[in-house]
Amino acid sequence: IATSGGGYRATMFGPGVLNAFDGRNKSAAAMGTGGLLQATSHMAGRSGGLLPVHSLAQANFPTIHGLIIGPPRPEANGRLPSEH
């Protein structure tokens, strides 16, 4: 899978595409694109497209939601953490 360059626009578009290819995403699996990410052996990115690829690799390939929001925290009870 290769994500294109293009600066900020590619940085925002790339995670959406990778999420659509992720078999852990129920809506992607229902549409038939889920699982392509898991079947991939190589990923590459150029310019802004490299940021989502690198972020996934360095975090050991969490879901896109998990990469952005972080792992679930039972003590949060469904709320986003507040800053103190």
Side-chain angles (χ1 to χ4, degrees):
I1 294 176
T3 56
S4 66
Y8 184 73
R9 182 178 55 198
T11 300
M12 304 284 49
F13 181 74
V17 171
L18 294 173
N19 192 37
F21 290 165
D22 192 342
R24 297 168 292 184
N25 177 343
K26 291 178 185 173
S27 60
M31 292 300 295
T33 59
L36 292 172
L37 184 61
Q38 285 76 14
T40 261
S41 61
H42 291 79
M43 291 179 66
R46 173 90 169 108
S47 183
L50 179 61
L51 292 171
V53 170
H54 180 267
S55 296
L56 282 174
Q58 65 86 24
N60 199 21
F61 294 92
T63 62
I64 296 294
H65 184 268
L67 183 65
I68 295 169
I69 303 295
R73 293 184 11 208
E75 70 274 10
N77 196 22
R79 297 183 313 267
L80 292 175
S82 62
E83 295 188 30
H84 300 296

